[in-house]
Amino acid sequence: MDPAAAAAAEEEGGEKPPVIYTMENKPIVTCAGDQNLFTSLYPTLSQQLPREPMEWRRSYGRAPKMIHLESNFVQFKEELLPKEGNKALLTFPFLHIYWTECCDTEVYKATVKDDITKWQNVLKAHSSVDWLIVVVESDAKKKNKTNILPRTSIVDKIRNDFCNKQSDRCVVLSDPLKDSSRSQESWNAFLTKLRTLLLMSFTKNLGKFEDDMRTLREKRTEPGWSFCEYFMVQEELAFVFEMLQQFEDALVQYDELDALFSQYVVNFGAGDGANWLTFFCQPVRSWNGLILRKPIDMEKRELIQNQEATLLDLRSYLFSRQCTLLIFLQRPWEVSQRALELLHNCVQELKLLEVSVPPGALDCWVFLSCLEVLQRIEGCCDRAQIDANVSHTVGLWSYATEKLKSLGYLCGLASEKGPNSEDLNRTVDLLAGLGAERPETANTSQSPYKKLKEALSSVEAFEKHYLDLSHATIEMYTNIGRIRSAKLVGKDLAEFYMRKKGPQKAEVYLQGALKTYLAEGWALLVTHTRKQLAECQKQLGQIENYLQMSSLLASDNHLTEDERKRFCQEILDFANQQAESQGQKVILSMHSFAQLKTLHFDPPNAVVHVGGKLSVELTLLSQMPIPVQVDQIAIYVHFNIEKNSYRKTAEWLTKHKTSNGVINFPNEVAGFPLSRNNLPALELYEMYERSPSDNSLNTTGIICKNVHMLLRRQESSTSLDIPSGVTLEDGAHMLKCNDLILEPGINKISFKTQAKEPGTYTLRQLCTSVGKVQFVLLHIYPIVQYDVYSQEPQLKVEPMTDSLLAGIPQKVKFTVITGHYNMKSGDALQLSNADAMPALYNPEIKAVIYSNTREKISESSLRIQSSEKITSISLPVTPAYHVIEFELEVIYLPSTPESAVERENTVNKEAHRKNKEKQKPDNRMATVDQKVTIDCPWSIYSTIIALTFCIPFNAKHSLLSAGKRKYVQVCVQNLSELCFQLSDNSLKNSASCADLQLVPLNPESQQVIYSKQSIFFVWELKWTKELPLSLQCLFSVSFCPATSEEQSLSLKPFTYEFQVENFFTLYNVKTEIFPPLGAEYCKTGSLCSLEVSITRLADLLEVDKDEALTESDGYCTTKLMYEVVDNSSNWAVCGKSSGVISMPVAARATHKVHMEVMPLFAGYLPFPDVRLFKYLPHHSAHSMQLDADSWIENDNLSVDKNVDDQADSSSIRSRSSLHSAASGEHKGLPMPRLQSFSSGQVFNCSTGMQILVVPSKDDHVLEVNIT
Amino acid sequence: MAVCIAVIAKENYPLYIRSIPTENELKFHYTVHTSLDVVDEKISAMGKALVDQRELYLGLLYPTEDYKVYGYVTNSKVKFVMVVDSSNTALRDNEIRSMFRKLHNSYTDIMCNPFYNPGDRIHSRAFDNMVTSMMMQVC
C-alpha cells in the first residue's frame, strides 16, 4: 500500500467510521439515484439484510460458508471508486446501487435515463461491474398518475437500456413501506438478490485481490521486495475477512505472515539473508512487552508501515492480532500456548539474528508479555474456566517466575546484602527500556508494567513478587498433578532462600524434591539435591542430619573424588573433635557408610556346642573414599533360649543347616527407585495348627511374616529418617572388634566368640564407632542366627546289616555320642553278658573318633576285657561333643529249650493243618529278641538295648511208611539270604530206647544249602521189640556260612525237636479192579468189579484199646468204616460206596468188600481212593467234640453212617428215607463218630495204581483235543 | 541434532540417559525428569480414547527457551524422551518421529537380548552407538 493510498484511507476515515476499529467495519455499498427514496428505505434494509444467512461459495476449493451479510450504505461518489493500483480493500465499494422511483416514461426519458447512464459511465471508467438498479413501485404513485404505462415498461426500458444480457441487475421493489404480503415477497426477492450480488462481488474482488497478493509474494526473491509492504497487503485481506466475521480466514492470513517471517529468519540464520531483514536486526532498545488490550496496536502498525519496526515490534503486533482473533474465536487457551511459543521463539530469533540486547532486557520483555497474556486471558474468561485450564497457562506462570528470578539475580535483588551500585545502574537501564506505561493500563493497579517496576524497585518488593509468583506456580502445578515441575520450581525457590540466608525455608523444598527424586530413582538429581540439602543443614546446624547427608554424599560416586573426600573429611573431623563436655554420640545409618556384603560362620552350619568356638567373618564394603580409622565394630546379638525342644538335639541342628556358612546380603543398588529397592523378599514359613485336645493337625498353611513390610505405604519410606530413638541393645551379647582401619572397598572383619549358654543367637545390629560417630545398621536382614546347644551323652547300638541272623558271628556298631561328657581314661562300657549272646573279642577292633560335625579326628584301638559276667570295653579318651564309633562282633546261639518247645508246638499245629500250611508258606524267619544291659560311665542307670536276631532255618518232619517199614524225613528250609554249609546232621531218639535204631540214609556229611532252598534228610526206623506209642526225636545239624573261609569257633548246631506218635502200621488196604467177566480190559460205560481187601497186620496192640473194640470169646473185633471216593470223577461208584465193617483184631485177618464201579473215561485211570476210619460208638463222651477237619465233607457218607451196617438200600432211597434221621441227629441225638487213623497206621498198597480202560465199541464219539 | 536422549522405565526411573558432553548433564536430567509430568498427562489423556490405534509418539512435550522436549511411549509404557536444541529448526516432526522409531527398534533389540533383565539400566554398545549417531547427525 503506498503512502498516498494510506492517506486516502485516512481521509475517508474522517467521514466514515474509522477503519481501525475493524469490528465496526462493514462492506461498503454505494447508493446513487433518489437519495430520499433510499433514506426512507434504509432502516428496513439495514435491518433485514443480515437477518438470513447466505451460502458463500469460495474459490480454490475452500469450504463454503454461511454468512450473515451486513453493509455500510454510503452515498455514491466518484472518489469512492478505487483508483488503478490502489489495493485498499476496506474502503472498496463492493456494490453500487441505483435507486429510482420513476414510473413515468417521460420522466425516465428526461432525467433518470441520463442519470443512470452517467452513473454507469463512471462505473465503467473504474471497470466496476458490481451494480444494481432498484425500481421502487408504490400504489400511491400509481393512483396519482392514472394514465401511465404499465409499470413493467419502465423496468423493461431500464433493462433494455442498461442490462443487456444481465436482466437480473435490475430489480423491482413494490410497496416497500406497506405491510402486505406482496410487499414482503418483493422485499425477500430483493434482499436475496442483494445478498447474491454482494457475495458475487466479494468472490470476484477478493479473488482478484488474492491473486495480486500472491503475485506480490512471488516477487519476494527480487531485490527491492519489502516484507512490510507485503505485510500491509495481506493484512488488508485479513481485515476484510474479519469484517465479514470470517475470523478463521483472517487468522490464516496472519499465520501465513508469521510463517513467512519465521522462514526468513531461519534462512537468514542459514546465511541466506534478505536485505530487508537486516532492518529488523537493529539493537533492542525498548522491551515493553506485548500489548493485547487493543484490537489493533496502531503505534506498532505504523512502525511496520513505515518500515521502522524492530523484530520485537513486528512479533508483538502480529501476536496481538492473532490474540484478538483467537479470542473472537473463543480459543483463549490457544493464545496462552502460542504466547509461550512466541516468547521462546523471539528469544531464539534474536539470538539467531545476533541482535544486540542489553542484559535483562529480554527477561523484562518476556516477563511483561507473560503477565499481559495471562491478564488478557483472565479478562475474557471466568474464574472457573481459568481454573479448569490451568494446564494451559501454568507454563506462562512458570516462565514469568523464571524470568523474574533471573532479573532479580541480575539486579542483585536476591542476595543477602542487596544490590550494589553496579546492580542499581543495571536496574535503571532496564527500567528505562520499559518506557512509560501505556495509557490503557495506566489505571489498572496490577498491570504487568507496574508489577515489574515495583519488583525491581527494592529487595523486599522483589521478594514479595517472586514468592507470590513462585507459590502460585507451585500451587498450579500441584493442582494439575505436575508434581515434578512443582518440585523444580520449589528447588529454585530453595536456591533463592539459600542466597537470602534463609536455610530453614529452603529445607522444606529441598526435602520435598529429594523425596521425589529418590522415589523415582534419579541418581544425579538426588546427588545434586543432597548437596544443596547438606549445605542447608550445615547452616541450620542440624549436625546429625548434616553428617548423615555427608556420609551419603561421601559414598556417592556421582560426585568427584575430591568432593567425596571433602564430605568424608567433614564426618571424620566431627568424629575426632574432643568430646566437649557432653559425650553425646551421634548415631547415623550405616547404609551410606558401608554395606554388609556377606557373613561367614565357622563352623559353617553356625551350630556350636556349649563352650565351642565360633568365628564370624563379615565382609563390609566401605563406601568412603578414604581409609577410615574405626574404634570399634560391634555386632549386637539377641539371645533367645530355645523354645522348641526338638531343636535341641545336635542332629536336628546339623541336619537343618546345610548352608556353607556364607550368608549373602542383597545388594542395594543405588539409583533405583525406592519401590524397587526397598521391597524386602517374602519371608514365608510353614504353619501348623494343632487342636489343643488331641494334638491332631487342624490346619496347615504358609505364613508371610513380613507382610507389614510389604504392604505398607511406600511414600513413608525414605532412607533419610532414622528413628530418633535408636537405641542400641544391651551389650550383654555383643561381638566386638577393636581398632581397625576400613579401607575403601572390601574389608573382612573377624569376630571370635566362645559359646556359653545354649540357645539361639540372632545377629541384630551392626555398629561401627568412629570417634563420636556411630554408624548403625539397624536390622541385619536376612535374619542371621547361630545356635548353641548342649547335648546328653548317648549310646547307640545298631546292627551293620538289615537284620541279625542267629548262629553266626555278626558285627554290631556301637556309637557313643559324648555330648557334654568328657571321656576320661578308664571310662568303659560294661556289657552284662548273656549266655546266648557272647561278645566276640577281636584284638584288631579300632574305635574311630569323630567330631560332632562328622569329621574324623583320630583312631585308637579298643581294649576289651571279658569276665564271666561282664565284658568291659574301655573307651578312648575323648573330649566332649565328639562321637566314638566302633564295631563289635556278636553271635547269638539259639539253643534254649523253651524256644524249641515253642517251635515244636507250632510244628505240631502245622502238621494238623497241612492244607492251610501249603497255602501260605512261611517265608518269614522266626525272630528272637536279645536284651543287653550296658552300664555307661556317664550314667548310674543301665542302658538296655534289645537286638533282634532271626533264625535262618525252618524245619519240618514227616513220617513215611512202606508196609511195615518206617522212615523219618526232616526238611530244613533256609529262609535267609545267605548260603550255609550244613554238616554233622543227626537224628536221635531222645527216649533212648535200646531196641530202636535210626539208620541214616543221607549220603554226605556236608551239604550246602542255598538261600531260600530246602534240604531233606531221611532216616529209617528199625526196631527189634514192640514199638513205643510215641517217638521223641531230636534233629540237629551244624551250620556255618558257606562263604566264610575259616571254620568258626564253637558254633552251636541248629536243632529241631519233634515227636512222632502211633506210627505202627495196623492195616493194609489193597484195592483191585477186575474187568467184567470174559472181558480182557475194562471198558468205558461197562461195570467192573472193585475189590477192597483190608488186612490186619498186627495183633492187639495198645493203640487199639478204645471204645470201638469189642471182645467176645477171646476174639477182639473193632469197627472200621471204609469209603471209596473218586475225587477225579473218573469212576462212577454204583451202589454203596462206603460201609462199616467189623474187623477182627488179629494179625492177617482180612476183610474183603466188593462193589461195582464204572469207568467214565478211557485210558489209564488211577484207582479210586479207599479211606479207612475207626468207627466209634455213639455213646462216646467226646462225640460232640469232633474235630471238624476229621470229617469227610460228604453228606452221602454222613447219611450212610447212620444206617445200620447191613442196610442194603439204594443211595437214593436211603437219602430220602433217612432224611428225618439226619435231622434227628441235629436235634442232639447221640450219633456214632469217625476217627481217622494217624499217618502210618494204615498203609494203602494200591496208592498210585492205574488200570487201563478201553473205550467201548459203540462209542463213536471221538474227542480230540488239539492244543 | 538431539542434545539429550533418555529411556525411562514404566516406573519413571531412568534406564538410560545421555546428553551431549559439552553441556551440563545435570540440567538435562532436570529437564527430562520434569518432562515426565507432561508424558504422564498425555498418556492418561489418550489412555482410554485410542487403545487400539494408539499413537506412540507424544509430540512436543514442552518447549523451553533453549530446548524442545519430545516424547514417545512404547506399549509397555517405557518412555523415550528426546531433547532438541530450539535453534535447530531443521528438525521437523517427521524427523523426530523417525528418530524415535529408530530408538524404539534399538530398544526392542535390547529387550530381545536374553541376558538383559527388563528393568535394568541399559548398558549396550549397540544402543550407545545408535544414540551417538542421533546426537551427531546433521550437526
Side-chain angles (χ1 to χ4, degrees):
Chain A
M1 195 188 273
D2 57 27
E10 289 293 297
E11 263 177 40
E12 286 149 19
E15 294 178 296
K16 289 176 284 178
V19 179
I20 313 133
Y21 296 107
T22 49
M23 265 308 279
E24 287 154 44
N25 275 348
K26 289 170 190 164
I28 291 168
V29 176
T30 64
C31 299
D34 192 341
Q35 287 301 318
N36 292 333
L37 172 68
F38 172 68
T39 314
S40 66
L41 292 173
Y42 176 72
T44 326
L45 184 62
S46 60
Q47 189 203 346
Q48 292 289 327
L49 184 62
R51 187 162 282 173
E52 275 176 50
M54 193 71 192
E55 194 187 56
W56 185 19
R57 293 208 176 79
R58 316 275 305 276
S59 55
Y60 298 112
R62 282 175 281 196
K65 288 205 170 151
M66 295 309 280
I67 182 166
H68 291 269
L69 286 167
E70 277 186 281
S71 276
N72 195 2
F73 294 96
V74 297
Q75 198 180 355
F76 178 78
K77 284 179 193 159
E78 198 176 342
E79 304 92 83
L80 283 179
L81 292 173
K83 297 176 187 77
E84 194 61 42
N86 187 351
K87 295 202 173 62
L89 263 186
L90 277 182
T91 52
F92 184 83
F94 284 96
L95 190 62
H96 308 278
I97 305 178
Y98 190 90
W99 299 88
T100 181
E101 221 177 356
C102 177
C103 50
D104 191 341
T105 322
E106 300 309 314
V107 181
Y108 171 72
K109 277 183 180 159
T111 57
V112 177
K113 189 179 178 184
D114 289 348
D115 201 30
I116 293 176
T117 313
K118 225 193 301 173
W119 176 71
Q120 283 265 303
N121 287 339
V122 176
L123 289 180
K124 265 180 200 148
H126 290 90
S127 59
S128 176
V129 290
D130 303 303
W131 50 267
L132 177 68
I133 299 166
V134 185
V135 181
V136 180
E137 276 185 359
S138 61
D139 293 337
K141 283 213 170 174
K142 235 194 269 174
K143 276 175 196 159
N144 286 349
K145 308 210 171 190
T146 48
N147 196 14
I148 46 164
L149 289 166
R151 65 178 184 274
T152 49
S153 62
I154 291 283
V155 178
D156 286 340
K157 268 190 197 310
I158 293 173
R159 280 191 180 139
N160 257 338
D161 293 341
F162 303 104
C163 319
N164 51 345
K165 287 172 193 162
Q166 289 177 295
S167 57
D168 57 337
R169 290 279 168 179
C170 182
V171 285
V172 179
L173 188 61
S174 32
D175 285 332
L177 296 173
K178 275 198 176 170
D179 190 16
S180 69
S181 64
R182 185 159 161 269
S183 125
Q184 198 60 45
E185 242 171 67
S186 149
W187 263 113
N188 282 346
F190 166 68
L191 285 170
T192 309
K193 170 85 18 191
L194 185 61
R195 289 183 191 124
T196 312
L197 287 175
L198 260 175
L199 285 180
M200 272 172 63
S201 169
F202 287 157
T203 312
K204 193 173 72 198
N205 289 301
L206 290 184
K208 189 162 165 287
F209 187 85
E210 281 179 38
D211 285 344
D212 291 346
M213 189 179 83
R214 236 168 259 123
T215 317
L216 185 60
R217 193 163 62 196
E218 291 316 308
K219 286 182 188 157
R220 65 185 181 275
T221 46
E222 287 172 19
W225 192 81
S226 160
F227 177 78
C228 291
E229 274 174 36
Y230 177 72
F231 184 94
M232 286 300 156
V233 173
Q234 186 150 10
E235 190 181 29
E236 195 77 23
L237 187 62
F239 282 151
V240 174
F241 281 125
E242 191 179 348
M243 176 178 80
L244 295 175
Q245 313 238 326
Q246 300 305 302
F247 302 118
E248 200 75 60
D249 292 285
L251 189 60
V252 167
Q253 307 312 314
Y254 285 109
D255 288 349
E256 277 180 16
L257 283 169
D258 196 344
L260 186 67
F261 188 74
S262 297
Q263 193 56 50
Y264 268 106
V265 176
V266 169
N267 291 351
F268 186 83
D272 178 22
N275 278 340
W276 56 266
L277 201 61
T278 50
F279 188 76
F280 287 101
C281 298
Q282 55 198 307
V284 175
R285 289 192 196 87
S286 160
W287 39 87
N288 49 10
L290 295 175
I291 298 156
L292 305 174
R293 289 164 211 248
K294 290 187 285 187
I296 294 180
D297 183 352
M298 283 314 291
E299 274 174 60
K300 293 245 160 62
R301 188 166 192 272
E302 264 170 59
L303 287 175
I304 296 166
Q305 209 165 11
N306 302 336
Q307 309 205 356
E308 286 164 1
T310 63
L311 183 118
L312 284 186
D313 291 332
L314 179 75
R315 284 293 183 195
S316 298
Y317 178 74
L318 249 178
F319 185 74
S320 73
R321 294 293 303 134
Q322 287 167 328
C323 170
T324 308
L325 292 170
L326 284 170
I327 285 173
F328 284 149
L329 286 166
Q330 316 251 308
R331 279 145 59 180
W333 314 121
E334 203 175 327
V335 175
S336 65
Q337 188 206 326
R338 279 167 173 245
L340 205 55
E341 270 171 46
L342 167 89
L343 299 178
H344 289 145
N345 193 26
C346 285
V347 174
Q348 282 299 320
E349 281 181 346
L350 287 174
K351 235 185 253 176
L352 193 67
L353 296 175
E354 292 163 354
V355 175
S356 87
V357 184
L362 270 184
D363 295 336
C364 285
W365 186 75
V366 170
F367 177 77
L368 290 173
S369 303
C370 283
L371 292 194
E372 178 74 14
V373 173
L374 289 172
Q375 289 189 356
R376 181 78 186 86
I377 291 171
E378 274 166 32
C380 68
C381 298
D382 57 29
R383 197 71 240 161
Q385 259 179 306
I386 290 170
D387 286 345
N389 287 283
V390 170
S391 61
H392 295 105
T393 54
V394 72
L396 287 169
W397 282 104
S398 160
Y399 199 22
T401 314
E402 194 184 306
K403 287 299 164 191
L404 187 61
K405 185 188 83 174
S406 69
L407 274 174
Y409 282 31
L410 186 75
C411 300
L413 294 164
S415 66
E416 199 184 9
K417 292 168 205 144
N420 54 25
S421 60
E422 200 182 319
D423 293 333
L424 288 173
N425 282 338
R426 209 175 288 136
T427 313
V428 170
D429 288 347
L430 281 178
L431 289 175
L434 294 180
E437 182 159 22
R438 292 210 197 71
E440 7 1 319
T441 59
N443 299 324
T444 3
S445 60
Q446 288 287 304
S447 73
Y449 180 85
K450 287 203 187 80
K451 272 192 178 176
L452 181 60
K453 219 160 184 182
E454 197 188 318
L456 293 181
S457 66
S458 74
V459 174
E460 292 75 29
F462 171 76
E463 183 172 343
K464 178 188 165 291
H465 281 282
Y466 178 57
L467 292 187
D468 281 353
L469 265 179
S470 293
H471 288 149
T473 311
I474 291 174
E475 199 192 321
M476 279 184 229
Y477 271 139
T478 313
N479 283 347
I480 59 168
R482 295 197 186 177
I483 303 300
R484 299 174 189 92
S485 310
K487 297 291 180 206
L488 194 62
V489 178
K491 272 200 68 199
D492 283 342
L493 201 54
E495 246 165 66
F496 170 74
Y497 279 129
M498 287 302 287
R499 285 179 74 125
K500 299 276 286 178
K501 298 285 178 223
Q504 67 284 354
K505 283 180 185 162
E507 199 201 350
V508 185
Y509 293 104
L510 290 174
Q511 291 281 22
L514 182 59
K515 213 177 222 178
T516 311
Y517 301 145
L518 274 174
E520 295 194 334
W522 287 72
L524 224 54
L525 307 189
V526 168
T527 307
H528 181 237
T529 312
R530 274 183 180 157
K531 236 162 80 181
Q532 291 175 313
L533 195 56
E535 185 56 37
C536 174
Q537 286 164 343
K538 191 179 186 182
Q539 287 184 16
L540 283 173
Q542 301 175 341
I543 293 168
E544 213 166 289
N545 289 346
Y546 174 61
L547 290 177
Q548 183 67 66
M549 202 51 76
S550 298
S551 82
L552 284 168
L553 287 165
S555 65
D556 195 331
N557 52 15
H558 290 288
L559 289 178
T560 61
E561 197 68 17
D562 288 343
E563 277 176 302
R564 289 177 60 184
K565 279 182 187 162
R566 183 165 66 79
F567 283 111
C568 185
Q569 202 55 53
E570 286 279 292
I571 303 170
L572 296 181
D573 288 351
F574 176 83
N576 297 329
Q577 273 172 16
Q578 285 309 311
E580 299 128 24
S581 62
Q582 41 177 0
Q584 184 102 34
K585 295 211 163 189
V586 175
I587 296 172
L588 303 176
S589 161
M590 193 187 264
H591 288 280
S592 52
F593 177 72
Q595 274 184 15
L596 185 55
K597 286 292 197 189
T598 58
L599 191 146
H600 177 81
F601 278 115
D602 187 31
N605 58 2
V607 177
V608 278
H609 51 78
V610 171
K613 283 206 165 57
L614 177 86
S615 81
V616 181
E617 191 182 68
L618 289 186
T619 311
L620 269 184
L621 177 74
S622 169
Q623 306 197 85
M624 293 297 109
I626 52 175
V628 178
Q629 169 77 41
V630 175
D631 300 338
Q632 186 188 62
I633 294 184
I635 303 175
Y636 292 84
V637 177
H638 178 260
F639 169 63
N640 183 25
I641 295 172
E642 278 302 328
K643 275 173 262 163
N644 307 319
S645 56
Y646 65 88
R647 285 190 65 184
K648 274 190 181 170
T649 64
E651 282 148 275
W652 189 92
L653 294 171
T654 323
K655 271 179 210 153
H656 280 74
K657 289 202 180 175
T658 48
S659 66
N660 53 3
V662 180
I663 292 132
N664 285 304
F665 294 91
N667 264 359
E668 286 176 43
V669 186
F672 276 106
L674 289 171
S675 51
R676 252 175 90 92
N677 232 358
N678 277 17
L679 270 191
L682 287 175
E683 282 183 55
L684 298 176
Y685 293 88
E686 292 167 44
M687 184 272 295
Y688 301 100
E689 199 172 284
R690 293 177 184 281
S691 97
S693 54
D694 57 350
N695 204 34
S696 64
L697 192 63
N698 269 357
T699 48
T700 179
I702 293 175
I703 283 184
C704 177
K705 285 204 173 171
N706 55 352
V707 177
H708 59 289
M709 306 270 280
L710 293 161
L711 297 185
R712 71 177 169 190
R713 275 161 58 86
Q714 298 204 343
E715 275 168 275
S716 56
S717 62
T718 43
S719 62
L720 285 176
D721 45 61
I722 309 164
S724 50
V726 170
T727 44
L728 288 168
E729 282 165 32
D730 206 355
H733 296 282
M734 191 161 83
L735 305 176
K736 282 188 223 168
C737 204
N738 289 331
D739 287 326
L740 43 97
I741 289 175
L742 279 185
E743 296 289 340
I746 297 286
N747 292 271
K748 295 208 175 203
I749 303 140
S750 298
F751 300 87
K752 288 200 167 55
T753 184
Q754 188 157 28
K756 287 179 197 114
E757 273 179 81
T760 300
Y761 292 80
T762 311
L763 308 190
R764 281 278 178 85
Q765 299 180 333
L766 187 63
C767 173
T768 310
S769 309
V770 182
K772 280 168 71 182
V773 181
Q774 286 192 320
F775 293 99
V776 177
L777 183 62
L778 277 182
H779 304 288
I780 296 179
Y781 183 86
I783 292 165
V784 181
Q785 293 180 324
Y786 68 88
D787 294 281
V788 175
Y789 66 93
S790 98
Q791 194 184 18
E792 292 301 315
Q794 269 184 18
L795 170 69
K796 269 195 294 184
V797 180
E798 293 164 317
M800 296 290 278
T801 48
D802 291 348
S803 60
L804 289 167
L805 290 178
I808 54 167
Q810 280 180 309
K811 282 185 176 172
V812 171
K813 188 170 84 175
F814 281 69
T815 310
V816 177
I817 298 166
T818 58
H820 57 68
Y821 182 82
N822 279 301
M823 285 294 160
K824 295 177 288 290
S825 159
D827 281 340
L829 295 177
Q830 311 278 348
L831 276 69
S832 57
N833 290 353
D835 294 336
M837 198 195 78
L840 299 175
Y841 175 63
N842 183 348
E844 280 160 43
I845 295 177
K846 296 247 163 146
V848 184
I849 301 169
Y850 295 97
S851 73
N852 249 359
T853 47
R854 300 304 297 175
E855 285 167 79
K856 192 171 169 178
I857 303 239
S858 67
E859 226 179 50
S860 72
S861 56
L862 275 181
R863 270 186 315 112
I864 300 181
Q865 289 175 320
S866 229
S867 70
E868 198 166 319
K869 288 279 177 199
I870 281 171
T871 304
S872 164
I873 307 165
S874 359
L875 296 169
V877 176
T878 314
Y881 297 104
H882 279 70
V883 178
I884 307 168
E885 267 187 18
F886 59 89
E887 286 163 18
L888 205 62
E889 277 199 324
V890 293
I891 183 165
Y892 175 70
L893 304 168
S895 62
T896 41
E898 65 250 284
S899 69
V901 165
E902 193 185 322
R903 291 182 53 74
E904 183 63 26
N905 292 342
T906 59
V907 169
N908 278 350
K909 269 181 203 160
E910 277 163 8
H912 280 294
R913 314 178 185 176
K914 272 179 188 162
N915 289 336
K916 287 183 182 171
E917 196 192 306
K918 272 174 201 159
Q919 280 163 5
K920 47 166 198 176
D922 189 12
N923 280 334
R924 260 175 290 150
M925 293 181 268
T927 59
V928 178
D929 280 350
Q930 178 64 41
K931 294 198 171 77
V932 188
T933 310
I934 303 173
D935 287 323
C936 304
W938 55 80
S939 170
I940 53 163
Y941 301 106
S942 302
T943 312
I944 295 171
I945 283 161
L947 292 171
T948 304
F949 291 92
C950 301
I951 293 154
F953 300 113
N954 183 20
K956 281 183 281 190
H957 72 275
S958 53
L959 183 81
L960 310 172
S961 313
K964 282 173 116 179
R965 298 171 78 176
K966 294 289 165 184
Y967 302 88
V968 176
Q969 187 196 53
V970 177
C971 168
V972 177
Q973 194 184 4
N974 179 3
L975 298 169
S976 74
E977 301 290 332
L978 289 172
C979 292
F980 290 97
Q981 200 156 39
L982 302 183
S983 58
D984 303 334
N985 58 71
S986 71
L987 184 70
K988 284 189 185 108
N989 180 6
S990 53
S992 68
C993 299
D995 56 344
L996 207 65
Q997 210 184 344
L998 285 164
V999 181
L1001 301 176
N1002 306 315
E1004 295 162 50
S1005 61
Q1006 278 207 347
Q1007 275 174 299
V1008 174
I1009 180 163
Y1010 294 99
S1011 169
K1012 309 285 181 203
Q1013 288 189 349
S1014 303
I1015 283 185
F1016 294 86
F1017 299 95
V1018 182
W1019 283 266
E1020 186 177 356
L1021 190 64
K1022 288 190 173 171
W1023 64 91
T1024 46
K1025 289 182 193 164
E1026 192 178 318
L1027 276 170
L1029 268 179
S1030 70
L1031 187 63
Q1032 198 75 33
C1033 293
L1034 178 66
F1035 169 78
S1036 93
V1037 63
S1038 300
F1039 64 96
C1040 64
T1043 46
S1044 76
E1045 301 283 302
E1046 48 181 313
Q1047 199 52 259
S1048 40
L1049 342 161
S1050 58
L1051 294 182
K1052 283 220 170 176
F1054 170 69
T1055 58
Y1056 172 57
E1057 207 172 343
F1058 60 93
Q1059 198 176 2
V1060 203
E1061 281 178 320
N1062 296 335
F1063 52 86
F1064 188 78
T1065 313
L1066 294 177
Y1067 298 99
N1068 191 11
V1069 177
K1070 195 181 172 200
T1071 315
E1072 277 177 297
I1073 294 174
F1074 304 105
L1077 276 175
E1080 200 178 344
Y1081 298 107
C1082 298
K1083 277 184 186 169
T1084 54
S1086 63
L1087 288 173
C1088 308
S1089 69
L1090 173 80
E1091 185 189 86
V1092 178
S1093 51
I1094 303 162
T1095 312
R1096 172 83 192 184
L1097 292 182
D1099 287 325
L1100 182 66
L1101 287 172
E1102 240 357 71
V1103 202
D1104 297 313
K1105 292 182 177 157
D1106 55 16
E1107 296 137 286
L1109 192 73
T1110 47
E1111 207 177 336
S1112 61
D1113 307 339
Y1115 291 105
C1116 293
T1117 52
T1118 186
K1119 281 193 174 169
L1120 296 177
M1121 197 191 97
Y1122 68 89
E1123 185 194 11
V1124 178
V1125 182
D1126 178 35
N1127 282 332
S1128 51
S1129 310
N1130 288 328
W1131 302 92
V1133 181
C1134 303
K1136 247 172 47 149
S1137 66
S1138 60
V1140 176
I1141 54 167
S1142 199
M1143 191 74 193
V1145 183
R1148 279 180 298 277
T1150 304
H1151 194 103
K1152 287 193 178 183
V1153 180
H1154 294 270
M1155 56 187 76
E1156 308 252 85
V1157 292
M1158 187 169 72
L1160 298 175
F1161 299 101
Y1164 283 103
L1165 296 186
F1167 280 22
D1169 290 341
V1170 177
R1171 297 180 195 171
L1172 211 56
F1173 299 92
K1174 244 180 219 175
Y1175 190 79
L1176 298 180
H1178 58 76
H1179 52 263
S1180 161
H1182 307 289
S1183 63
M1184 301 313 282
Q1185 292 173 8
L1186 273 179
D1187 192 320
D1189 286 345
S1190 65
W1191 287 94
I1192 285 90
E1193 285 102 359
N1194 187 336
D1195 62 350
N1196 200 18
L1197 174 72
S1198 68
V1199 169
D1200 283 350
K1201 73 188 177 214
N1202 284 324
V1203 182
D1204 203 1
D1205 46 343
Q1206 301 302 328
D1208 201 2
S1209 54
S1210 79
S1211 61
I1212 302 163
R1213 243 191 64 193
S1214 70
R1215 201 174 287 169
S1216 57
S1217 62
L1218 288 164
H1219 195 258
S1220 55
S1223 56
E1225 169 216 324
H1226 289 296
K1227 280 168 188 159
L1229 283 176
M1231 52 178 282
R1233 61 194 172 95
L1234 295 172
Q1235 192 181 36
S1236 61
F1237 288 99
S1238 64
S1239 67
Q1241 281 184 319
V1242 175
F1243 178 71
N1244 195 336
C1245 63
S1246 315
T1247 310
M1249 276 179 66
Q1250 290 180 331
I1251 185 167
L1252 179 66
V1253 177
V1254 294
S1256 62
K1257 277 172 190 163
D1258 54 344
D1259 192 358
H1260 301 293
V1261 181
L1262 181 65
E1263 204 173 308
V1264 179
N1265 284 330
I1266 301 165
T1267 52
Chain B
M1 207 69 179
V3 289
C4 177
I5 287 174
V7 181
I8 291 140
K10 184 171 176 255
E11 295 84 3
N12 286 338
Y13 62 92
L15 291 174
Y16 182 94
I17 180 160
R18 207 162 121 225
S19 50
I20 50 165
T22 50
E23 305 256 356
N24 182 6
E25 199 185 354
L26 184 64
K27 180 177 71 182
F28 289 120
H29 280 245
Y30 276 118
T31 308
V32 172
H33 183 251
T34 315
S35 74
L36 293 179
D37 273 340
V38 191
V39 173
D40 283 354
E41 221 167 70
K42 292 209 177 197
I43 290 174
S44 59
M46 74 180 183
K48 291 143 206 161
L50 299 152
V51 178
D52 320 333
Q53 39 165 3
R54 214 188 54 198
E55 168 76 287
L56 302 178
Y57 178 56
L58 298 176
L60 182 65
L61 297 181
Y62 77 101
T64 65
E65 215 170 270
D66 305 311
Y67 301 106
K68 287 187 176 122
V69 187
Y70 294 92
Y72 184 93
V73 62
T74 70
N75 287 316
S76 52
K77 299 278 183 295
V78 171
K79 295 124 191 163
F80 300 144
V81 174
M82 189 155 23
V83 185
V84 173
D85 207 310
S86 283
S87 61
N88 195 337
T89 42
L91 276 181
R92 297 289 166 85
D93 227 34
N94 264 342
E95 277 92 67
I96 301 283
R97 263 174 211 270
S98 77
M99 279 162 79
F100 273 127
R101 225 167 287 132
K102 256 166 80 183
L103 206 59
H104 196 170
N105 285 340
S106 195
Y107 175 73
T108 312
D109 287 346
I110 290 171
M111 293 299 285
C112 292
N113 180 351
F115 298 103
Y116 174 75
N117 236 343
D120 283 359
R121 270 152 213 281
I122 295 170
H123 298 288
S124 152
R125 199 178 304 146
F127 195 75
D128 262 347
N129 291 341
M130 202 272 317
V131 169
T132 312
S133 79
M134 280 188 175
M135 305 226 265
M136 298 295 285
Q137 215 178 324
V138 179
C139 292

